[in-house]
Amino acid sequence: MRVIRDTYGWIDERFAVTPLLEKNVTKKMVPRTLSWAGCFGGLAFFTFLVQVFTGMLLLMYYKPHPEAAWDSVTFIKSNVTMGWLVQRIHAVAANLMIALVLMHMARIAYYKIYRKPRELHWMSGVFLLLLTTMMAFTGYLLPWTQLSYWGAKVGTEIPSAIPIIGQDVVEWVRRGKAISGETLGFFFSLHIWILPAVMSAFMGLHFVMIRRTGISRPL
Amino acid sequence: MSDHHEHEHDVACEPLTCGRRRFCQAAIGGATAITVGTVVYPIVAFLKLPVRLGDAKPVEVPLERLVPGQAYYADFQGQQVIVVMAEAGPKVFDAACTHLGCNVVWDTAHSNFHCPCHGAVFSGEGKVVSGPVSTPLREVPFEVKNGVLVIS
């Protein structure tokens, strides 16, 4: 304990961490009337972090190839110690994240928090919802099961409703006419790098905005 | 405010409150340790080397497939092994050259092993003939069951 306190003191003396922590965490003032419903956004972010870390672990064994994907996921679930737990946490956190994001949005909409000066919070939030659903959709294909395959097939069919370019969009998303190894590779790259990177950037903006305008003060 | 904060640990207290404080600190510390443990344990367990079912698979070579003077290459637990039929019977060698670990190749014309990396040469019995090596090739134990050579 003394070692920890001394190490902290050494760092604190040089970088003045304590005033920073007090200002942003321990002595940060929030509106007295703020209810526990104000936690949904933060909890959604927490589930995101859980998925980032469990995702890193799953990536150690996952193989994004149509002949190896299902086997590698089965390997994680049955051969890797605690693999079943890590895989389950990743999938359950994904479901929870969607639910929490929707609850967060419902609260913002109900209290009309999206009004000036917080319009951009809402807009970036809507974009984040879209990214979250895309994360869920691309992740669903990766285990390469029957459910994944047909889920991806039905999901990628949706853009065909767009007039004129619809069919081209479907083929672009599928990387061909049908769901194939190309689709798997594309969804994999979206799921582990492209979408999380874009999402992190938008989350950063989303959080900076809240710090600038402050939390909405209920009546 | 900050002055009060810094000296918090030095404040003298009644024995009763001191006991309570220690109890609370231990309770919070214990709960934190359990929480951190339940997160850290699965992660450490996950990082452990998993048992691959393929690892335990033995290599089986029917003896009639072995031709005297020629070599049979097989993969045993991810490492190449070479079976050669000598006059006294079959022998199995680890293909890793004892110099720097390249896979040696059986030279049928000279009945010896040749390493493509630095030119080491081993005799048909795995003994050093020439090259930058001093250790003979590692022999791999095997058994013969019903006319089948088994490496396990």
Side-chain angles (χ1 to χ4, degrees), chain B residues 130-146:
Chain B
S130 66
V133 279
S134 50
T135 324
L137 282 179
R138 194 175 73 84
E139 279 195 51
V140 178
F142 63 91
E143 49 194 354
V144 178
K145 276 184 205 159
N146 306 324

Side-chain angles (χ1 to χ4, degrees), chain A residues 187-200:
Chain A
F187 276 31
F188 176 70
S189 69
L190 281 171
H191 189 78
I192 68 144
W193 240 117
I194 302 166
L195 292 175
V198 177
M199 244 173 133
S200 303

